[in-house]
């Protein structure tokens, strides 16, 4: 291995450490606790080293969001893989989405609540974000209904899931009724 390859590997390892540490800190204490000073202390590198990877917290949030989008896409595809039939797939998708949001609140915030400097729904949207949307679209396109553009239907269904996830987490909706919300969403929006 050349010196250049070793340096690139070490740089990638440091970057992964920064993102993992930020994510861990955010999951434990919330995003307000994530500062470049605290991250530098936790990873035992100076702040200038941290800034050589990320210009600031916004870029770190973006990196966590991209990592989370990849994980979400995998989780959604896994949730729907074993489901038999359109209704079962849509229900599994909804449950998988809400479960991901509940299990990963800081990642979910990085994806959909905080400014990570990432473009959404544009030509230059990063591939992990496009793939997370594609994981929704793959299941929802088949139940959009005649004459309904599948992408728009997916956006509407996703917005509903996001509302359920966000309002339940902030206790504006009682969590014990989540399953009924999923059933109602599937029954009323999806053409089965």
């Amino acid at each position: 291995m050349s010196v250049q390859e070793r340096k690139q590997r070490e740089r990638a390892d440091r970057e992964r450490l920064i993102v993992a540490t930020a994510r861990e800190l955010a999951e434990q204490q919330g995003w307000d606790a994530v500062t470049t000073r605290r991250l530098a202390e936790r990873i035992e590198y100076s702040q200038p080293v941290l800034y050589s990877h990320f210009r600031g917290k916004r870029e770190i949030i973006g990196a966590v969001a991209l990592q989370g989008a990849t994980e979400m896409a995998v989780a959604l595809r896994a949730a729907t893989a074993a489901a038999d039939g359109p209704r079962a797939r849509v229900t599994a998708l909804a449950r998988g989405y809400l479960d991901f949001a509940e299990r990963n609140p800081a990642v979910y915030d990085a994806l959909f609540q905080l400014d990570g400097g990432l473009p959404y729904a544009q030509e230059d949207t990063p591939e992990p974000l496009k793939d997370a949307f594609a994981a929704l679209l793959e299941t929802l396109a088949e139940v959009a209904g005649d004459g309904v553009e599948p992408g728009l239907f997916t956006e509407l269904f996703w917005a509903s899931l996001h509302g359920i996830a966000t309002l339940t987490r902030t206790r504006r909706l009682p969590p014990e009724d989540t399953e009924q919300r999923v059933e109602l969403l599937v029954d009323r929006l999806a053409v089965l």
Side-chain angles (χ1 to χ4, degrees):
M1 176 182 302
S2 73
V3 172
Q4 183 64 23
E5 289 172 329
R6 181 182 54 78
K7 285 183 178 185
Q8 287 174 340
R9 188 186 75 233
E10 288 171 355
R11 180 172 177 74
D13 288 345
R14 268 193 316 273
E15 193 165 300
R16 279 191 292 278
L17 177 62
I18 293 166
V19 172
T21 303
R23 182 175 175 168
E24 179 184 317
L25 187 57
E27 290 291 0
Q28 292 170 353
Q29 300 176 32
W31 278 104
D32 287 341
V34 179
T35 64
T36 53
R37 193 183 108 254
R38 287 185 83 187
L39 284 175
E41 288 171 3
R42 283 208 176 190
I43 64 172
E44 299 178 345
Y45 283 101
S46 68
Q47 282 184 302
V49 169
L50 193 137
Y51 282 117
S52 74
H53 291 273
F54 299 99
R55 286 181 286 193
K57 183 175 176 177
R58 181 179 186 219
E59 284 189 5
I60 294 169
I61 290 169
V64 170
L66 292 176
Q67 186 181 73
T70 298
E71 293 169 10
M72 177 181 272
V74 168
L76 294 178
R77 288 183 176 112
T80 59
D84 187 30
R87 179 179 180 61
R89 276 190 294 280
V90 174
T91 301
L93 178 79
R95 287 178 183 145
Y97 183 95
L98 295 173
D99 182 57
F100 182 87
E102 183 181 348
R103 286 184 296 108
N104 305 283
V107 171
Y108 192 82
D109 285 349
L111 272 164
F112 303 121
Q113 302 287 89
L114 302 173
D115 179 8
L118 302 172
Y120 284 75
Q122 298 174 29
E123 276 300 310
D124 60 343
T125 297
E127 205 50 48
L129 298 177
K130 288 179 180 179
D131 190 48
F133 185 78
L136 292 164
L137 182 64
E138 290 161 10
T139 295
L140 295 171
E142 69 180 309
V143 297
D146 293 336
V148 176
E149 202 281 307
L152 289 176
F153 178 76
T154 299
E155 290 171 354
L156 177 64
F157 201 93
W158 170 32
S160 299
L161 289 174
H162 175 69
I164 292 169
T166 302
L167 293 170
T168 301
R169 186 167 126 207
T170 58
R171 299 288 187 192
R172 270 112 175 136
L173 293 176
E176 62 271 11
D177 294 333
T178 298
E179 187 58 32
Q180 287 178 282
R181 286 185 198 94
V182 167
E183 292 298 323
L184 188 58
L185 181 62
V186 172
D187 286 344
R188 296 293 188 231
L189 283 186
V191 176
L192 301 168

